[in-house]
Amino acid sequence: MAPTPPPTFRKRRLGQALRRLREDRKLTQQQVADALGIQIDRISRAELGRTKIDIPLLRALLNEYGVIDADLRQTLEDMTRNIGKRGWWHSYNSFLTLTFQDFLGLEGEAQRTRTFQKLVPGRLQLEDYTRRLLEAGLGIVHPTREQLESRVAVRLERQNRLHERPYEVVLSASALVDHIGDPEIMRRQILHLREQADRDEITLRILPLDRGPHLGLDGPFTLFDFPDGGQLVALEALLNSFYLEDEDSLITYTAAFQQIHDLALDDEKSKAYLERAAHTA
């Protein structure tokens, strides 16, 4: 018997939302199955993201869970209809890992993203910076130049598709002194960060190196907030991204981001810091 394929990010996200709504009503899967006259397996597999559900079943579940919020109902119906829809990155699939495709999908669905980074985050990188950064993995992470250039193209396309969604970044000052490419590339990258910091949807704070111990020293992380009320933590490694969704992890990483955010320079001082760094790059 062939193994069951892993759920796509859309199925997983929908399943998480349905499970959360059921648990908020303090209902068991068996109680819901009995009320709707269906097998419990349909409920459990839907919550695990192991099967596609149709709109009539979704609406029946939302009625059972007492969901009257029209926006939430529409959000979940849109998620259901889009489960089989190919992402914009489909043409690059042969060059992207499944976990990175998942990351792109989650990023695209999030209504707010908060992140702590030790390098300039991909969504704020200039093309030359991106290329020099990825060239460190040529022949190792990216076996061919063609694959590397595809990753550059994907990163630039991400920037074009994620406007007008709140994006909160705390960036370690180490990102401004770790030279990626020549000094001119770094100078232009830092000036680009300064320009991006003026955009309404972007909050960019710099965390100086002298702020002492903080939870970000353990590594970068990203928090996604979704329209249905769900949250997810993404931890990025060299080859893969790992996701945490349990309540304890969400509480811990939310508090960690707040700690780092509070230690960082405020918005205006961060802009001034970037201006000084550009002149000394």
PDB file of all heavy atoms in Angstrom, residues 6 31 45 64 77 93 99 107 112-113 115 117 139 143 176 180 184 203 213 240 242 247 276:
ATOM      1  N   PRO A   6       2.087  13.745   2.042  1.00  0.00           N
ATOM      2  CA  PRO A   6       1.938  14.775   3.063  1.00  0.00           C
ATOM      3  C   PRO A   6       0.941  15.832   2.619  1.00  0.00           C
ATOM      4  O   PRO A   6       0.756  16.063   1.418  1.00  0.00           O
ATOM      5  CB  PRO A   6       3.349  15.371   3.164  1.00  0.00           C
ATOM      6  CG  PRO A   6       3.975  15.089   1.841  1.00  0.00           C
ATOM      7  CD  PRO A   6       3.405  13.769   1.401  1.00  0.00           C
ATOM      8  N   GLN A  31     -18.609  13.822  18.303  1.00  0.00           N
ATOM      9  CA  GLN A  31     -19.841  14.585  18.469  1.00  0.00           C
ATOM     10  C   GLN A  31     -20.221  15.304  17.172  1.00  0.00           C
ATOM     11  O   GLN A  31     -21.388  15.336  16.788  1.00  0.00           O
ATOM     12  CB  GLN A  31     -19.681  15.599  19.605  1.00  0.00           C
ATOM     13  CG  GLN A  31     -19.681  14.977  20.993  1.00  0.00           C
ATOM     14  CD  GLN A  31     -19.351  15.991  22.071  1.00  0.00           C
ATOM     15  OE1 GLN A  31     -18.505  16.866  21.884  1.00  0.00           O
ATOM     16  NE2 GLN A  31     -20.032  15.866  23.222  1.00  0.00           N
ATOM     17  N   ARG A  45      -9.533  13.383   9.114  1.00  0.00           N
ATOM     18  CA  ARG A  45      -8.666  13.562   7.953  1.00  0.00           C
ATOM     19  C   ARG A  45      -8.688  15.010   7.457  1.00  0.00           C
ATOM     20  O   ARG A  45      -7.664  15.532   7.007  1.00  0.00           O
ATOM     21  CB  ARG A  45      -9.071  12.603   6.835  1.00  0.00           C
ATOM     22  CG  ARG A  45      -8.712  11.151   7.128  1.00  0.00           C
ATOM     23  CD  ARG A  45      -9.202  10.214   6.032  1.00  0.00           C
ATOM     24  NE  ARG A  45      -8.588  10.519   4.739  1.00  0.00           N
ATOM     25  CZ  ARG A  45      -7.381  10.117   4.374  1.00  0.00           C
ATOM     26  NH1 ARG A  45      -6.636   9.404   5.212  1.00  0.00           N
ATOM     27  NH2 ARG A  45      -6.903  10.414   3.180  1.00  0.00           N
ATOM     28  N   GLU A  64     -22.259  24.109  12.492  1.00  0.00           N
ATOM     29  CA  GLU A  64     -22.176  23.320  13.723  1.00  0.00           C
ATOM     30  C   GLU A  64     -21.321  24.032  14.776  1.00  0.00           C
ATOM     31  O   GLU A  64     -21.571  23.927  15.978  1.00  0.00           O
ATOM     32  CB  GLU A  64     -21.600  21.939  13.415  1.00  0.00           C
ATOM     33  CG  GLU A  64     -21.650  20.945  14.562  1.00  0.00           C
ATOM     34  CD  GLU A  64     -23.084  20.585  14.972  1.00  0.00           C
ATOM     35  OE1 GLU A  64     -24.012  20.692  14.118  1.00  0.00           O
ATOM     36  OE2 GLU A  64     -23.273  20.187  16.133  1.00  0.00           O
ATOM     37  N   GLU A  77     -14.042  29.657   3.041  1.00  0.00           N
ATOM     38  CA  GLU A  77     -14.533  29.165   1.748  1.00  0.00           C
ATOM     39  C   GLU A  77     -13.503  29.422   0.647  1.00  0.00           C
ATOM     40  O   GLU A  77     -13.285  28.572  -0.224  1.00  0.00           O
ATOM     41  CB  GLU A  77     -15.871  29.828   1.398  1.00  0.00           C
ATOM     42  CG  GLU A  77     -17.030  29.303   2.223  1.00  0.00           C
ATOM     43  CD  GLU A  77     -18.392  29.628   1.604  1.00  0.00           C
ATOM     44  OE1 GLU A  77     -18.443  29.942   0.396  1.00  0.00           O
ATOM     45  OE2 GLU A  77     -19.398  29.550   2.348  1.00  0.00           O
ATOM     46  N   ASN A  93       9.090  25.146  -9.858  1.00  0.00           N
ATOM     47  CA  ASN A  93       9.004  23.996  -8.955  1.00  0.00           C
ATOM     48  C   ASN A  93      10.226  23.090  -8.993  1.00  0.00           C
ATOM     49  O   ASN A  93      10.667  22.565  -7.971  1.00  0.00           O
ATOM     50  CB  ASN A  93       7.752  23.160  -9.260  1.00  0.00           C
ATOM     51  CG  ASN A  93       6.525  23.701  -8.526  1.00  0.00           C
ATOM     52  OD1 ASN A  93       6.581  24.740  -7.892  1.00  0.00           O
ATOM     53  ND2 ASN A  93       5.415  23.004  -8.648  1.00  0.00           N
ATOM     54  N   THR A  99       9.544  22.194   0.978  1.00  0.00           N
ATOM     55  CA  THR A  99       9.383  23.010   2.183  1.00  0.00           C
ATOM     56  C   THR A  99       9.439  24.495   1.845  1.00  0.00           C
ATOM     57  O   THR A  99       8.743  25.303   2.455  1.00  0.00           O
ATOM     58  CB  THR A  99      10.456  22.677   3.234  1.00  0.00           C
ATOM     59  OG1 THR A  99      11.749  22.742   2.633  1.00  0.00           O
ATOM     60  CG2 THR A  99      10.252  21.296   3.813  1.00  0.00           C
ATOM     61  N   GLU A 107       3.512  32.367   3.436  1.00  0.00           N
ATOM     62  CA  GLU A 107       3.820  33.795   3.393  1.00  0.00           C
ATOM     63  C   GLU A 107       2.759  34.556   2.604  1.00  0.00           C
ATOM     64  O   GLU A 107       2.345  35.655   2.986  1.00  0.00           O
ATOM     65  CB  GLU A 107       5.192  33.982   2.758  1.00  0.00           C
ATOM     66  CG  GLU A 107       5.661  35.411   2.640  1.00  0.00           C
ATOM     67  CD  GLU A 107       7.022  35.496   1.995  1.00  0.00           C
ATOM     68  OE1 GLU A 107       7.170  35.102   0.823  1.00  0.00           O
ATOM     69  OE2 GLU A 107       7.968  35.956   2.679  1.00  0.00           O
ATOM     70  N   ARG A 112      -0.252  39.204   8.286  1.00  0.00           N
ATOM     71  CA  ARG A 112       0.823  39.951   8.933  1.00  0.00           C
ATOM     72  C   ARG A 112       1.996  39.018   9.150  1.00  0.00           C
ATOM     73  O   ARG A 112       1.820  37.847   9.477  1.00  0.00           O
ATOM     74  CB  ARG A 112       0.370  40.526  10.282  1.00  0.00           C
ATOM     75  CG  ARG A 112       1.496  41.290  10.993  1.00  0.00           C
ATOM     76  CD  ARG A 112       1.042  41.984  12.266  1.00  0.00           C
ATOM     77  NE  ARG A 112       0.732  41.048  13.341  1.00  0.00           N
ATOM     78  CZ  ARG A 112       0.839  41.329  14.651  1.00  0.00           C
ATOM     79  NH1 ARG A 112       1.246  42.528  15.025  1.00  0.00           N
ATOM     80  NH2 ARG A 112       0.511  40.449  15.554  1.00  0.00           N
ATOM     81  N   THR A 113       3.203  39.544   8.953  1.00  0.00           N
ATOM     82  CA  THR A 113       4.420  38.771   9.163  1.00  0.00           C
ATOM     83  C   THR A 113       5.347  39.551  10.078  1.00  0.00           C
ATOM     84  O   THR A 113       5.556  40.754   9.886  1.00  0.00           O
ATOM     85  CB  THR A 113       5.137  38.489   7.824  1.00  0.00           C
ATOM     86  OG1 THR A 113       4.264  37.757   6.959  1.00  0.00           O
ATOM     87  CG2 THR A 113       6.409  37.677   8.048  1.00  0.00           C
ATOM     88  N   THR A 115       9.284  39.172  11.856  1.00  0.00           N
ATOM     89  CA  THR A 115      10.480  38.340  11.722  1.00  0.00           C
ATOM     90  C   THR A 115      11.684  38.978  12.392  1.00  0.00           C
ATOM     91  O   THR A 115      11.816  40.213  12.414  1.00  0.00           O
ATOM     92  CB  THR A 115      10.787  38.072  10.234  1.00  0.00           C
ATOM     93  OG1 THR A 115      11.840  37.117  10.118  1.00  0.00           O
ATOM     94  CG2 THR A 115      11.185  39.339   9.498  1.00  0.00           C
ATOM     95  N   GLN A 117      15.821  38.701  12.004  1.00  0.00           N
ATOM     96  CA  GLN A 117      16.798  38.183  11.057  1.00  0.00           C
ATOM     97  C   GLN A 117      18.193  38.696  11.375  1.00  0.00           C
ATOM     98  O   GLN A 117      18.366  39.807  11.905  1.00  0.00           O
ATOM     99  CB  GLN A 117      16.422  38.602   9.625  1.00  0.00           C
ATOM    100  CG  GLN A 117      15.121  38.003   9.129  1.00  0.00           C
ATOM    101  CD  GLN A 117      15.204  36.496   8.921  1.00  0.00           C
ATOM    102  OE1 GLN A 117      16.268  35.970   8.590  1.00  0.00           O
ATOM    103  NE2 GLN A 117      14.099  35.808   9.117  1.00  0.00           N
ATOM    104  N   GLY A 139      27.053  25.073  -6.173  1.00  0.00           N
ATOM    105  CA  GLY A 139      27.725  23.777  -6.178  1.00  0.00           C
ATOM    106  C   GLY A 139      27.464  22.957  -4.929  1.00  0.00           C
ATOM    107  O   GLY A 139      27.869  21.799  -4.853  1.00  0.00           O
ATOM    108  N   PRO A 143      23.150  23.336  -7.048  1.00  0.00           N
ATOM    109  CA  PRO A 143      24.125  22.585  -7.857  1.00  0.00           C
ATOM    110  C   PRO A 143      24.555  23.289  -9.138  1.00  0.00           C
ATOM    111  O   PRO A 143      25.679  23.110  -9.595  1.00  0.00           O
ATOM    112  CB  PRO A 143      23.388  21.276  -8.165  1.00  0.00           C
ATOM    113  CG  PRO A 143      22.406  21.129  -7.040  1.00  0.00           C
ATOM    114  CD  PRO A 143      21.963  22.531  -6.735  1.00  0.00           C
ATOM    115  N   LEU A 176      24.480  44.470   8.811  1.00  0.00           N
ATOM    116  CA  LEU A 176      25.014  45.651   8.139  1.00  0.00           C
ATOM    117  C   LEU A 176      26.536  45.661   8.093  1.00  0.00           C
ATOM    118  O   LEU A 176      27.129  46.457   7.356  1.00  0.00           O
ATOM    119  CB  LEU A 176      24.523  46.920   8.842  1.00  0.00           C
ATOM    120  CG  LEU A 176      23.005  46.994   9.070  1.00  0.00           C
ATOM    121  CD1 LEU A 176      22.655  48.274   9.807  1.00  0.00           C
ATOM    122  CD2 LEU A 176      22.243  46.886   7.765  1.00  0.00           C
ATOM    123  N   ILE A 180      28.269  41.369   2.165  1.00  0.00           N
ATOM    124  CA  ILE A 180      27.830  40.445   1.121  1.00  0.00           C
ATOM    125  C   ILE A 180      28.167  41.123  -0.203  1.00  0.00           C
ATOM    126  O   ILE A 180      27.511  42.096  -0.591  1.00  0.00           O
ATOM    127  CB  ILE A 180      26.316  40.167   1.212  1.00  0.00           C
ATOM    128  CG1 ILE A 180      25.938  39.687   2.614  1.00  0.00           C
ATOM    129  CG2 ILE A 180      25.899  39.148   0.153  1.00  0.00           C
ATOM    130  CD1 ILE A 180      26.596  38.406   3.056  1.00  0.00           C
ATOM    131  N   GLU A 184      30.256  48.586  -2.377  1.00  0.00           N
ATOM    132  CA  GLU A 184      29.220  49.321  -3.088  1.00  0.00           C
ATOM    133  C   GLU A 184      27.881  48.584  -3.031  1.00  0.00           C
ATOM    134  O   GLU A 184      26.820  49.203  -2.888  1.00  0.00           O
ATOM    135  CB  GLU A 184      29.635  49.556  -4.538  1.00  0.00           C
ATOM    136  CG  GLU A 184      28.593  50.289  -5.383  1.00  0.00           C
ATOM    137  CD  GLU A 184      28.206  51.661  -4.839  1.00  0.00           C
ATOM    138  OE1 GLU A 184      28.974  52.240  -4.039  1.00  0.00           O
ATOM    139  OE2 GLU A 184      27.114  52.147  -5.206  1.00  0.00           O
ATOM    140  N   THR A 203       7.611  47.940   9.111  1.00  0.00           N
ATOM    141  CA  THR A 203       8.244  48.431  10.333  1.00  0.00           C
ATOM    142  C   THR A 203       9.605  47.772  10.419  1.00  0.00           C
ATOM    143  O   THR A 203       9.699  46.541  10.445  1.00  0.00           O
ATOM    144  CB  THR A 203       7.416  48.077  11.579  1.00  0.00           C
ATOM    145  OG1 THR A 203       6.109  48.636  11.467  1.00  0.00           O
ATOM    146  CG2 THR A 203       8.091  48.596  12.835  1.00  0.00           C
ATOM    147  N   PRO A 213      22.469  39.872  25.999  1.00  0.00           N
ATOM    148  CA  PRO A 213      21.803  38.619  25.627  1.00  0.00           C
ATOM    149  C   PRO A 213      20.326  38.839  25.313  1.00  0.00           C
ATOM    150  O   PRO A 213      19.656  39.651  25.954  1.00  0.00           O
ATOM    151  CB  PRO A 213      21.977  37.724  26.865  1.00  0.00           C
ATOM    152  CG  PRO A 213      22.860  38.448  27.798  1.00  0.00           C
ATOM    153  CD  PRO A 213      22.959  39.865  27.367  1.00  0.00           C
ATOM    154  N   ASN A 240      15.966  23.498   4.760  1.00  0.00           N
ATOM    155  CA  ASN A 240      14.538  23.373   4.989  1.00  0.00           C
ATOM    156  C   ASN A 240      14.021  24.442   5.945  1.00  0.00           C
ATOM    157  O   ASN A 240      14.801  25.121   6.620  1.00  0.00           O
ATOM    158  CB  ASN A 240      14.202  21.985   5.577  1.00  0.00           C
ATOM    159  CG  ASN A 240      14.463  20.865   4.597  1.00  0.00           C
ATOM    160  OD1 ASN A 240      13.980  20.905   3.464  1.00  0.00           O
ATOM    161  ND2 ASN A 240      15.227  19.872   5.014  1.00  0.00           N
ATOM    162  N   PHE A 242      11.173  24.746   9.150  1.00  0.00           N
ATOM    163  CA  PHE A 242      10.438  23.923  10.104  1.00  0.00           C
ATOM    164  C   PHE A 242       9.351  24.783  10.731  1.00  0.00           C
ATOM    165  O   PHE A 242       9.558  25.964  11.018  1.00  0.00           O
ATOM    166  CB  PHE A 242      11.385  23.390  11.179  1.00  0.00           C
ATOM    167  CG  PHE A 242      12.534  22.607  10.629  1.00  0.00           C
ATOM    168  CD1 PHE A 242      13.742  23.233  10.315  1.00  0.00           C
ATOM    169  CD2 PHE A 242      12.409  21.249  10.382  1.00  0.00           C
ATOM    170  CE1 PHE A 242      14.796  22.514   9.789  1.00  0.00           C
ATOM    171  CE2 PHE A 242      13.457  20.522   9.852  1.00  0.00           C
ATOM    172  CZ  PHE A 242      14.658  21.150   9.553  1.00  0.00           C
ATOM    173  N   GLU A 247       0.507  25.614  20.939  1.00  0.00           N
ATOM    174  CA  GLU A 247       0.244  26.842  21.698  1.00  0.00           C
ATOM    175  C   GLU A 247       1.456  27.315  22.482  1.00  0.00           C
ATOM    176  O   GLU A 247       1.761  28.517  22.515  1.00  0.00           O
ATOM    177  CB  GLU A 247      -0.941  26.625  22.648  1.00  0.00           C
ATOM    178  CG  GLU A 247      -1.352  27.887  23.386  1.00  0.00           C
ATOM    179  CD  GLU A 247      -2.586  27.678  24.246  1.00  0.00           C
ATOM    180  OE1 GLU A 247      -3.105  26.543  24.284  1.00  0.00           O
ATOM    181  OE2 GLU A 247      -3.030  28.653  24.873  1.00  0.00           O
ATOM    182  N   ARG A 276      23.716  56.262   8.825  1.00  0.00           N
ATOM    183  CA  ARG A 276      25.128  56.283   9.226  1.00  0.00           C
ATOM    184  C   ARG A 276      25.860  55.074   8.657  1.00  0.00           C
ATOM    185  O   ARG A 276      27.004  55.172   8.182  1.00  0.00           O
ATOM    186  CB  ARG A 276      25.249  56.304  10.744  1.00  0.00           C
ATOM    187  CG  ARG A 276      24.771  57.610  11.388  1.00  0.00           C
ATOM    188  CD  ARG A 276      25.208  57.687  12.839  1.00  0.00           C
ATOM    189  NE  ARG A 276      24.664  56.595  13.642  1.00  0.00           N
ATOM    190  CZ  ARG A 276      23.493  56.641  14.266  1.00  0.00           C
ATOM    191  NH1 ARG A 276      22.719  57.730  14.158  1.00  0.00           N
ATOM    192  NH2 ARG A 276      23.073  55.630  14.994  1.00  0.00           N
TER     193      ARG A 276
END
